[in-house]
Amino acid sequence: MISKDMTINEILRRYPQTLPVFERHGLDCFDCQIADFEQLEHGATVHKVDLPLLLAELNKIIS
């Protein structure tokens, strides 16, 4: 299960199928150097993305 405390890069490494979800929400984090350190919650906040919706979509795609 993906949580808000996981780093973006950790999510993408473990679950590469989540990339389209990030892209749909305007998060091109796979190219960002901070993705290794930035937690999902922080990235969503900075980019004004609905965190509960993002988490729901990410977890749906990995199930």
Side-chain angles (χ1 to χ4, degrees):
M1 184 169 157
I2 296 172
S3 73
K4 66 180 183 173
D5 300 318
M6 294 173 75
T7 66
I8 293 167
N9 201 26
E10 176 184 6
I11 296 166
L12 289 168
R13 271 196 321 270
R14 284 187 191 181
Y15 310 106
Q17 69 270 37
T18 60
L19 181 58
V21 176
F22 282 103
E23 290 175 329
R24 242 190 335 273
H25 286 274
L27 297 170
D28 53 357
C29 302
F30 52 91
D31 275 343
C32 181
Q33 295 172 350
I34 201 167
D36 286 333
F37 311 102
E38 186 172 41
Q39 292 179 328
L40 182 63
E41 181 177 34
H42 183 262
T45 302
V46 167
H47 294 282
K48 297 177 177 37
V49 172
D50 182 328
L51 180 60
L53 177 62
L54 178 61
L55 274 169
E57 288 185 25
L58 289 169
N59 282 303
K60 181 178 180 181
I61 203 165
I62 66 166
S63 61

